[in-house]
Amino acid sequence: MKTVATRLRVHERSVTRWRKSWHEGGTQALLSKGPVSKEKLSAQQWERLETGLRRGPPAWGIRREPVLDPGTGQDADRPAVPHRLHHRGSGQAAASPRLVGPGPGAAGLGAG
C-alpha cells in the first residue's frame, strides 16, 4: 500500500480506503461521486477572475517583485498562470509572487 501511495502521491489511508471500496463494490464504487463541496464561484465570476489574472498585477495597481526561476532567470510565476487556470481546483500548490502593495488608484475585482 505504501508503494502505491507514494507513486500516486497520496496518503496511504486513501489507498486503503480505495481498496476497501473496490473490494466491497467493485470498480463502480471507485467512480467519482462529484465535487466534495458546492462550487463557490459562478461561471461568470471564474471568467472575471481569469481575465483579471491574465491582465496581471499591474492592471490592478499592484507592484510586484518577480519570483525568478534560478535555472532560467525568468519570472517563474508568469508561465504557470495559464496552467493554474486550466487545472484550477486540482489542489496543486505553487509559489506566489511577493506582493509589494497596491499602487495609486488600485482597484479590486469587486462584487459581481
Side-chain angles (χ1 to χ4, degrees), residues 36-92:
V36 174
S37 64
K38 182 182 173 204
E39 180 69 56
K40 292 182 180 10
L41 297 179
S42 68
Q44 182 183 14
Q45 289 171 319
W46 272 116
E47 188 175 318
R48 289 183 69 216
L49 177 60
E50 289 174 355
T51 299
L53 289 173
R54 283 191 189 98
R55 288 174 59 197
W60 301 102
I62 299 171
R63 295 174 311 149
R64 157 187 176 286
E65 293 180 14
V67 177
L68 299 181
D69 180 323
T72 64
Q74 300 290 322
D75 184 347
D77 287 330
R78 287 305 243 182
V81 168
H83 176 77
R84 287 184 199 147
L85 290 175
H86 181 70
H87 295 287
R88 67 178 181 243
S90 67
Q92 294 178 354

Side-chain angles (χ1 to χ4, degrees), residues 13-45:
R13 279 181 272 175
S14 295
V15 176
T16 302
R17 192 174 56 248
W18 297 336
R19 186 173 187 268
K20 181 181 178 196
S21 294
W22 173 73
H23 182 70
E24 293 173 357
T27 55
Q28 265 318 98
L30 296 176
L31 295 175
S32 173
K33 291 164 185 64
V36 174
S37 64
K38 182 182 173 204
E39 180 69 56
K40 292 182 180 10
L41 297 179
S42 68
Q44 182 183 14
Q45 289 171 319

